[in-house]
Short mmCIF file of all heavy atoms in Angstrom, two decimals:
data_model
loop_
_atom_site.label_atom_id
_atom_site.label_comp_id
_atom_site.label_asym_id
_atom_site.label_seq_id
_atom_site.Cartn_x
_atom_site.Cartn_y
_atom_site.Cartn_z
N ALA Z 42 1.66 15.95 21.23
CA ALA Z 42 1.39 16.86 22.38
C ALA Z 42 0.24 16.22 23.27
O ALA Z 42 0.43 16.19 24.52
CB ALA Z 42 0.92 18.18 21.91
N LEU Z 43 -0.77 15.66 22.61
CA LEU Z 43 -1.91 15.09 23.38
C LEU Z 43 -1.43 13.86 24.15
O LEU Z 43 -1.76 13.71 25.38
CB LEU Z 43 -3.01 14.70 22.44
CG LEU Z 43 -4.31 14.22 23.06
CD1 LEU Z 43 -4.91 15.29 24.00
CD2 LEU Z 43 -5.37 13.83 22.05
N ALA Z 44 -0.63 13.00 23.50
CA ALA Z 44 -0.05 11.84 24.21
C ALA Z 44 0.79 12.25 25.40
O ALA Z 44 0.75 11.61 26.48
CB ALA Z 44 0.70 10.96 23.19
N GLY Z 45 1.57 13.36 25.22
CA GLY Z 45 2.46 13.85 26.26
C GLY Z 45 1.64 14.29 27.43
O GLY Z 45 1.89 13.93 28.60
N VAL Z 46 0.57 15.07 27.19
CA VAL Z 46 -0.37 15.58 28.25
C VAL Z 46 -0.99 14.39 28.96
O VAL Z 46 -1.01 14.35 30.27
CB VAL Z 46 -1.46 16.46 27.63
CG1 VAL Z 46 -2.48 16.82 28.69
CG2 VAL Z 46 -0.74 17.79 27.09
N ILE Z 47 -1.40 13.40 28.25
CA ILE Z 47 -2.07 12.25 28.88
C ILE Z 47 -1.06 11.51 29.76
O ILE Z 47 -1.46 11.14 30.98
CB ILE Z 47 -2.70 11.32 27.78
CG1 ILE Z 47 -3.89 11.98 27.17
CG2 ILE Z 47 -2.96 9.93 28.33
CD1 ILE Z 47 -4.53 11.21 26.03
N LEU Z 48 0.15 11.32 29.26
CA LEU Z 48 1.13 10.59 30.07
C LEU Z 48 1.46 11.31 31.35
O LEU Z 48 1.52 10.67 32.40
CB LEU Z 48 2.44 10.40 29.23
CG LEU Z 48 2.61 9.13 28.51
CD1 LEU Z 48 3.99 9.14 27.72
CD2 LEU Z 48 2.60 7.96 29.48
N VAL Z 49 1.58 12.66 31.24
CA VAL Z 49 1.90 13.40 32.47
C VAL Z 49 0.72 13.29 33.44
O VAL Z 49 0.88 13.11 34.63
CB VAL Z 49 2.22 14.88 32.10
CG1 VAL Z 49 2.29 15.74 33.32
CG2 VAL Z 49 3.50 14.97 31.27
N ARG Z 50 -0.45 13.49 32.89
CA ARG Z 50 -1.69 13.47 33.70
C ARG Z 50 -1.92 12.19 34.38
O ARG Z 50 -2.33 12.20 35.59
CB ARG Z 50 -2.93 13.87 32.75
CG ARG Z 50 -4.21 14.06 33.40
CD ARG Z 50 -4.23 15.26 34.27
NE ARG Z 50 -5.36 15.32 35.22
CZ ARG Z 50 -5.43 14.74 36.39
NH1 ARG Z 50 -4.40 14.03 36.79
NH2 ARG Z 50 -6.48 14.74 37.12
N VAL Z 51 -1.68 11.06 33.71
CA VAL Z 51 -1.88 9.76 34.38
C VAL Z 51 -0.76 9.36 35.35
O VAL Z 51 -0.91 8.47 36.19
CB VAL Z 51 -2.13 8.61 33.40
CG1 VAL Z 51 -3.33 8.87 32.48
CG2 VAL Z 51 -0.91 8.33 32.56
N SER Z 52 0.37 10.07 35.22
CA SER Z 52 1.55 9.60 35.98
C SER Z 52 1.80 10.53 37.16
O SER Z 52 2.55 10.18 38.11
CB SER Z 52 2.83 9.61 35.14
OG SER Z 52 2.58 8.94 33.93
N ALA Z 53 1.18 11.71 37.17
CA ALA Z 53 1.48 12.66 38.28
C ALA Z 53 0.20 13.00 38.97
O ALA Z 53 -0.65 13.66 38.43
CB ALA Z 53 2.11 13.94 37.70
N PRO Z 54 -0.02 12.58 40.21
CA PRO Z 54 0.90 11.71 40.95
C PRO Z 54 0.71 10.23 40.55
O PRO Z 54 -0.37 9.85 40.08
CB PRO Z 54 0.38 11.91 42.39
CG PRO Z 54 -1.08 12.18 42.20
CD PRO Z 54 -1.17 12.91 40.87
N PRO Z 55 1.69 9.38 40.83
CA PRO Z 55 1.60 8.00 40.44
C PRO Z 55 0.51 7.31 41.32
O PRO Z 55 0.21 7.76 42.41
CB PRO Z 55 2.98 7.39 40.76
CG PRO Z 55 3.64 8.35 41.57
CD PRO Z 55 2.99 9.68 41.40
N PRO Z 56 -0.13 6.19 40.85
CA PRO Z 56 -1.13 5.52 41.57
C PRO Z 56 -0.69 5.02 42.94
O PRO Z 56 0.56 4.74 43.10
CB PRO Z 56 -1.55 4.31 40.70
CG PRO Z 56 -0.86 4.49 39.41
CD PRO Z 56 0.20 5.53 39.56
N ASP Z 57 -1.58 4.97 43.91
CA ASP Z 57 -1.19 4.57 45.32
C ASP Z 57 -0.60 3.17 45.36
O ASP Z 57 0.45 2.98 45.88
CB ASP Z 57 -2.37 4.72 46.24
CG ASP Z 57 -2.83 6.19 46.31
OD1 ASP Z 57 -1.98 7.05 46.08
OD2 ASP Z 57 -4.02 6.40 46.60
N GLU Z 58 -1.48 2.19 44.85
CA GLU Z 58 -1.06 0.79 44.93
C GLU Z 58 -0.36 0.38 43.57
O GLU Z 58 -1.01 -0.16 42.66
CB GLU Z 58 -2.14 -0.08 45.30
CG GLU Z 58 -2.60 0.14 46.66
CD GLU Z 58 -3.99 -0.49 46.91
OE1 GLU Z 58 -4.31 -1.47 46.18
OE2 GLU Z 58 -4.67 -0.06 47.79
N LEU Z 59 0.89 0.68 43.53
CA LEU Z 59 1.53 0.42 42.22
C LEU Z 59 2.37 -0.84 42.31
O LEU Z 59 3.45 -0.86 42.95
CB LEU Z 59 2.41 1.69 41.83
CG LEU Z 59 3.19 1.58 40.53
CD1 LEU Z 59 2.28 1.32 39.37
CD2 LEU Z 59 3.95 2.89 40.29
N ASP Z 60 1.96 -1.86 41.46
CA ASP Z 60 2.76 -3.05 41.43
C ASP Z 60 3.67 -2.99 40.25
O ASP Z 60 3.28 -3.30 39.10
CB ASP Z 60 1.82 -4.27 41.31
CG ASP Z 60 2.52 -5.60 41.23
OD1 ASP Z 60 3.79 -5.61 41.20
OD2 ASP Z 60 1.85 -6.63 41.21
N LEU Z 61 4.89 -2.47 40.42
CA LEU Z 61 5.78 -2.23 39.31
C LEU Z 61 6.13 -3.51 38.59
O LEU Z 61 6.38 -3.53 37.38
CB LEU Z 61 7.09 -1.53 39.84
CG LEU Z 61 7.01 0.00 39.87
CD1 LEU Z 61 8.30 0.59 40.35
CD2 LEU Z 61 6.59 0.63 38.48
N GLY Z 62 6.20 -4.63 39.38
CA GLY Z 62 6.51 -5.96 38.78
C GLY Z 62 5.52 -6.31 37.73
O GLY Z 62 5.91 -6.79 36.64
N ARG Z 63 4.24 -5.99 37.92
CA ARG Z 63 3.19 -6.30 36.96
C ARG Z 63 3.29 -5.51 35.66
O ARG Z 63 3.11 -5.96 34.60
CB ARG Z 63 1.80 -6.14 37.62
CG ARG Z 63 0.77 -7.12 37.16
CD ARG Z 63 -0.48 -7.03 37.98
NE ARG Z 63 -1.53 -7.83 37.42
CZ ARG Z 63 -1.69 -9.19 37.74
NH1 ARG Z 63 -0.84 -9.70 38.60
NH2 ARG Z 63 -2.65 -9.85 37.14
N VAL Z 64 3.61 -4.16 35.96
CA VAL Z 64 3.78 -3.27 34.84
C VAL Z 64 5.03 -3.79 33.98
O VAL Z 64 4.92 -3.86 32.75
CB VAL Z 64 4.06 -1.85 35.24
CG1 VAL Z 64 4.33 -0.91 34.05
CG2 VAL Z 64 2.93 -1.33 36.09
N PHE Z 65 6.09 -4.10 34.66
CA PHE Z 65 7.27 -4.62 34.04
C PHE Z 65 7.02 -5.90 33.16
O PHE Z 65 7.50 -6.08 32.02
CB PHE Z 65 8.37 -4.90 35.11
CG PHE Z 65 9.63 -5.30 34.50
CD1 PHE Z 65 10.48 -4.38 33.83
CD2 PHE Z 65 10.17 -6.65 34.63
CE1 PHE Z 65 11.73 -4.76 33.31
CE2 PHE Z 65 11.33 -7.02 34.14
CZ PHE Z 65 12.10 -6.11 33.46
N PHE Z 66 6.14 -6.84 33.80
CA PHE Z 66 5.84 -8.08 33.13
C PHE Z 66 5.19 -7.80 31.78
O PHE Z 66 5.61 -8.30 30.73
CB PHE Z 66 4.92 -8.88 34.03
CG PHE Z 66 4.33 -10.07 33.29
CD1 PHE Z 66 5.09 -11.20 32.99
CD2 PHE Z 66 2.96 -10.07 32.82
CE1 PHE Z 66 4.52 -12.26 32.32
CE2 PHE Z 66 2.43 -11.11 32.13
CZ PHE Z 66 3.19 -12.24 31.89
N TRP Z 67 4.13 -6.90 31.78
CA TRP Z 67 3.44 -6.65 30.51
C TRP Z 67 4.37 -5.95 29.53
O TRP Z 67 4.18 -6.04 28.30
CB TRP Z 67 2.17 -5.88 30.77
CG TRP Z 67 1.07 -6.70 31.38
CD1 TRP Z 67 0.45 -6.46 32.56
CD2 TRP Z 67 0.49 -7.97 30.86
NE1 TRP Z 67 -0.49 -7.44 32.77
CE2 TRP Z 67 -0.44 -8.36 31.79
CE3 TRP Z 67 0.75 -8.62 29.69
CZ2 TRP Z 67 -1.23 -9.49 31.55
CZ3 TRP Z 67 -0.04 -9.80 29.50
CH2 TRP Z 67 -1.00 -10.24 30.39
N ILE Z 68 5.23 -5.05 30.02
CA ILE Z 68 6.14 -4.34 29.14
C ILE Z 68 7.06 -5.39 28.45
O ILE Z 68 7.26 -5.33 27.23
CB ILE Z 68 7.01 -3.35 29.91
CG1 ILE Z 68 6.11 -2.05 30.27
CG2 ILE Z 68 8.24 -2.88 29.12
CD1 ILE Z 68 6.89 -1.05 31.09
N VAL Z 69 7.60 -6.35 29.26
CA VAL Z 69 8.45 -7.40 28.63
C VAL Z 69 7.71 -8.24 27.61
O VAL Z 69 8.26 -8.49 26.49
CB VAL Z 69 9.07 -8.27 29.68
CG1 VAL Z 69 9.88 -9.43 29.14
CG2 VAL Z 69 10.05 -7.48 30.58
N VAL Z 70 6.49 -8.67 27.91
CA VAL Z 70 5.72 -9.49 26.98
C VAL Z 70 5.48 -8.65 25.68
O VAL Z 70 5.60 -9.18 24.55
CB VAL Z 70 4.38 -9.95 27.60
CG1 VAL Z 70 3.52 -10.66 26.57
CG2 VAL Z 70 4.62 -10.90 28.84
N THR Z 71 5.12 -7.38 25.86
CA THR Z 71 4.77 -6.56 24.68
C THR Z 71 6.11 -6.32 23.86
O THR Z 71 6.07 -6.35 22.62
CB THR Z 71 4.28 -5.23 25.13
OG1 THR Z 71 3.19 -5.51 26.11
CG2 THR Z 71 3.66 -4.48 23.96
N LEU Z 72 7.29 -6.18 24.62
CA LEU Z 72 8.49 -5.92 23.79
C LEU Z 72 8.86 -7.18 22.93
O LEU Z 72 9.30 -7.04 21.83
CB LEU Z 72 9.67 -5.70 24.83
CG LEU Z 72 9.82 -4.29 25.26
CD1 LEU Z 72 10.88 -4.12 26.33
CD2 LEU Z 72 10.21 -3.27 24.13
N VAL Z 73 8.59 -8.34 23.51
CA VAL Z 73 8.91 -9.60 22.77
C VAL Z 73 7.97 -9.62 21.50
O VAL Z 73 8.47 -9.93 20.40
CB VAL Z 73 8.68 -10.82 23.64
CG1 VAL Z 73 8.74 -12.10 22.85
CG2 VAL Z 73 9.68 -10.88 24.79
N ALA Z 74 6.71 -9.26 21.70
CA ALA Z 74 5.78 -9.31 20.52
C ALA Z 74 6.16 -8.20 19.53
O ALA Z 74 6.11 -8.39 18.32
CB ALA Z 74 4.38 -9.04 21.01
N ALA Z 75 6.67 -7.09 19.99
CA ALA Z 75 7.02 -5.98 19.18
C ALA Z 75 8.34 -6.26 18.38
O ALA Z 75 8.61 -5.53 17.38
CB ALA Z 75 7.21 -4.68 19.98
N ALA Z 76 9.12 -7.31 18.84
CA ALA Z 76 10.40 -7.56 18.14
C ALA Z 76 10.14 -8.23 16.79
O ALA Z 76 11.06 -8.39 16.04
CB ALA Z 76 11.19 -8.45 19.01
N LEU Z 77 8.89 -8.50 16.48
CA LEU Z 77 8.58 -9.31 15.21
C LEU Z 77 7.60 -8.54 14.32
O LEU Z 77 6.48 -8.99 14.06
CB LEU Z 77 8.03 -10.68 15.56
CG LEU Z 77 8.93 -11.53 16.40
CD1 LEU Z 77 8.15 -12.71 17.06
CD2 LEU Z 77 10.06 -12.08 15.57
N PRO Z 78 7.88 -7.29 13.89
CA PRO Z 78 6.92 -6.63 13.07
C PRO Z 78 6.96 -7.12 11.65
O PRO Z 78 7.91 -7.75 11.20
CB PRO Z 78 7.38 -5.14 13.07
CG PRO Z 78 8.90 -5.25 13.31
CD PRO Z 78 9.12 -6.49 14.06
N VAL Z 79 5.81 -6.91 10.94
CA VAL Z 79 5.80 -7.38 9.52
C VAL Z 79 5.39 -6.11 8.69
O VAL Z 79 4.45 -5.42 9.00
CB VAL Z 79 4.69 -8.45 9.26
CG1 VAL Z 79 4.57 -8.79 7.81
CG2 VAL Z 79 5.00 -9.64 10.09
N ARG Z 80 6.29 -5.81 7.71
CA ARG Z 80 5.98 -4.61 6.91
C ARG Z 80 4.96 -4.98 5.84
O ARG Z 80 5.18 -5.86 4.96
CB ARG Z 80 7.27 -4.12 6.17
CG ARG Z 80 7.04 -2.77 5.59
CD ARG Z 80 8.38 -2.26 5.00
NE ARG Z 80 8.28 -0.85 4.68
CZ ARG Z 80 7.70 -0.34 3.61
NH1 ARG Z 80 7.03 -1.18 2.78
NH2 ARG Z 80 7.61 0.95 3.40
N LEU Z 81 3.78 -4.36 5.84
CA LEU Z 81 2.73 -4.61 4.90
C LEU Z 81 2.93 -3.74 3.66
O LEU Z 81 3.64 -2.69 3.70
CB LEU Z 81 1.41 -4.36 5.54
CG LEU Z 81 1.02 -5.13 6.76
CD1 LEU Z 81 -0.21 -4.62 7.39
CD2 LEU Z 81 0.95 -6.66 6.40
N PRO Z 82 2.33 -4.15 2.44
CA PRO Z 82 2.55 -3.50 1.23
C PRO Z 82 2.28 -1.96 1.28
O PRO Z 82 2.88 -1.18 0.52
CB PRO Z 82 1.67 -4.18 0.25
CG PRO Z 82 1.46 -5.54 0.83
CD PRO Z 82 1.54 -5.39 2.27
N GLY Z 83 1.30 -1.52 2.07
CA GLY Z 83 0.94 -0.13 2.11
C GLY Z 83 1.96 0.75 2.93
O GLY Z 83 1.78 1.92 3.00
N GLY Z 84 2.99 0.02 3.48
CA GLY Z 84 4.00 0.81 4.23
C GLY Z 84 3.64 0.75 5.76
O GLY Z 84 4.50 1.20 6.60
N VAL Z 85 2.49 0.23 6.16
CA VAL Z 85 2.16 0.15 7.60
C VAL Z 85 2.76 -1.12 8.09
O VAL Z 85 2.79 -2.14 7.41
CB VAL Z 85 0.63 0.09 7.76
CG1 VAL Z 85 0.20 -0.18 9.13
CG2 VAL Z 85 -0.08 1.38 7.23
N HIS Z 86 3.34 -1.07 9.37
CA HIS Z 86 3.86 -2.24 10.02
C HIS Z 86 2.82 -2.91 10.84
O HIS Z 86 2.19 -2.28 11.71
CB HIS Z 86 5.10 -1.90 10.81
CG HIS Z 86 6.28 -1.72 9.99
ND1 HIS Z 86 6.50 -0.53 9.29
CD2 HIS Z 86 7.36 -2.50 9.71
CE1 HIS Z 86 7.68 -0.69 8.61
NE2 HIS Z 86 8.22 -1.81 8.89
N ALA Z 87 2.59 -4.21 10.60
CA ALA Z 87 1.71 -4.95 11.51
C ALA Z 87 2.52 -5.68 12.60
O ALA Z 87 3.56 -6.22 12.31
CB ALA Z 87 0.91 -6.03 10.65
N THR Z 88 1.97 -5.58 13.79
CA THR Z 88 2.63 -6.25 14.91
C THR Z 88 1.58 -7.06 15.66
O THR Z 88 0.42 -6.91 15.49
CB THR Z 88 3.23 -5.29 15.82
OG1 THR Z 88 2.33 -4.42 16.34
CG2 THR Z 88 4.41 -4.49 15.18
N ILE Z 89 2.12 -7.86 16.57
CA ILE Z 89 1.23 -8.63 17.39
C ILE Z 89 1.18 -8.04 18.83
O ILE Z 89 0.87 -8.76 19.78
CB ILE Z 89 1.61 -10.18 17.45
CG1 ILE Z 89 3.13 -10.31 17.63
CG2 ILE Z 89 1.18 -10.76 16.16
CD1 ILE Z 89 3.57 -11.76 17.77
N THR Z 90 1.54 -6.78 18.95
CA THR Z 90 1.60 -6.17 20.26
C THR Z 90 0.23 -5.67 20.75
O THR Z 90 0.08 -5.40 21.93
CB THR Z 90 2.48 -4.88 20.15
OG1 THR Z 90 2.25 -4.19 18.92
CG2 THR Z 90 3.94 -5.15 20.28
N THR Z 91 -0.76 -5.68 19.78
CA THR Z 91 -2.10 -5.30 20.23
C THR Z 91 -2.62 -6.17 21.43
O THR Z 91 -3.15 -5.62 22.42
CB THR Z 91 -3.11 -5.36 19.04
OG1 THR Z 91 -2.63 -4.47 18.07
CG2 THR Z 91 -4.50 -5.01 19.40
N ALA Z 92 -2.38 -7.47 21.36
CA ALA Z 92 -2.87 -8.39 22.27
C ALA Z 92 -2.30 -8.12 23.72
O ALA Z 92 -3.08 -7.90 24.67
CB ALA Z 92 -2.68 -9.84 21.86
N PRO Z 93 -0.95 -8.08 23.86
CA PRO Z 93 -0.42 -7.77 25.22
C PRO Z 93 -0.80 -6.43 25.75
O PRO Z 93 -0.98 -6.26 26.98
CB PRO Z 93 1.08 -7.98 25.08
CG PRO Z 93 1.38 -8.02 23.65
CD PRO Z 93 0.18 -8.42 22.93
N VAL Z 94 -0.87 -5.38 24.88
CA VAL Z 94 -1.25 -4.06 25.32
C VAL Z 94 -2.72 -4.15 25.86
O VAL Z 94 -3.00 -3.57 26.91
CB VAL Z 94 -1.05 -3.01 24.23
CG1 VAL Z 94 -1.64 -1.63 24.71
CG2 VAL Z 94 0.40 -2.83 23.85
N LEU Z 95 -3.56 -4.76 25.09
CA LEU Z 95 -5.01 -4.88 25.56
C LEU Z 95 -5.06 -5.74 26.83
O LEU Z 95 -5.91 -5.53 27.65
CB LEU Z 95 -5.82 -5.52 24.45
CG LEU Z 95 -6.19 -4.58 23.28
CD1 LEU Z 95 -7.00 -5.28 22.22
CD2 LEU Z 95 -6.97 -3.36 23.86
N ALA Z 96 -4.16 -6.75 26.91
CA ALA Z 96 -4.12 -7.55 28.16
C ALA Z 96 -3.87 -6.68 29.36
O ALA Z 96 -4.49 -6.80 30.45
CB ALA Z 96 -3.08 -8.68 28.01
N ALA Z 97 -2.91 -5.74 29.16
CA ALA Z 97 -2.55 -4.75 30.18
C ALA Z 97 -3.80 -3.89 30.47
O ALA Z 97 -4.04 -3.53 31.63
CB ALA Z 97 -1.36 -3.96 29.79
N LEU Z 98 -4.57 -3.61 29.42
CA LEU Z 98 -5.67 -2.72 29.58
C LEU Z 98 -6.78 -3.37 30.43
O LEU Z 98 -7.36 -2.80 31.32
CB LEU Z 98 -6.29 -2.30 28.21
CG LEU Z 98 -7.57 -1.63 28.11
CD1 LEU Z 98 -7.46 -0.17 28.71
CD2 LEU Z 98 -8.10 -1.59 26.73
N PHE Z 99 -6.99 -4.77 30.11
CA PHE Z 99 -8.05 -5.49 30.84
C PHE Z 99 -7.58 -5.98 32.16
O PHE Z 99 -8.43 -6.53 32.93
CB PHE Z 99 -8.53 -6.63 29.96
CG PHE Z 99 -9.24 -6.20 28.65
CD1 PHE Z 99 -8.78 -6.65 27.38
CD2 PHE Z 99 -10.34 -5.31 28.73
CE1 PHE Z 99 -9.46 -6.20 26.26
CE2 PHE Z 99 -11.00 -4.90 27.56
CZ PHE Z 99 -10.51 -5.38 26.32
N ASP Z 100 -6.32 -6.00 32.44
CA ASP Z 100 -5.76 -6.61 33.72
C ASP Z 100 -6.32 -5.86 34.90
O ASP Z 100 -5.91 -4.71 35.15
CB ASP Z 100 -4.23 -6.62 33.64
CG ASP Z 100 -3.67 -7.36 34.85
OD1 ASP Z 100 -4.40 -7.82 35.69
OD2 ASP Z 100 -2.42 -7.47 34.85
N PRO Z 101 -7.11 -6.58 35.69
CA PRO Z 101 -7.61 -5.83 36.99
C PRO Z 101 -6.58 -5.53 37.92
O PRO Z 101 -6.75 -4.66 38.85
CB PRO Z 101 -8.68 -6.81 37.47
CG PRO Z 101 -8.36 -8.13 36.94
CD PRO Z 101 -7.64 -7.87 35.65
N GLY Z 102 -5.39 -6.23 37.91
CA GLY Z 102 -4.34 -6.04 38.86
C GLY Z 102 -3.45 -4.88 38.55
O GLY Z 102 -2.45 -4.57 39.29
#
Side-chain angles (χ1 to χ4, degrees):
L43 186 60
V46 169
I47 286 174
L48 263 180
V49 172
R50 186 67 195 83
V51 301
S52 312
D57 296 335
E58 290 165 24
L59 179 56
D60 180 356
L61 273 179
R63 212 168 175 91
V64 178
F65 183 71
F66 168 76
W67 287 122
I68 287 178
V69 171
V70 174
T71 313
L72 275 173
V73 172
L77 302 161
V79 178
R80 192 179 194 281
L81 300 172
V85 174
H86 281 79
T88 58
I89 46 175
T90 41
T91 298
V94 174
L95 285 177
L98 171 68
F99 294 126
D100 186 357

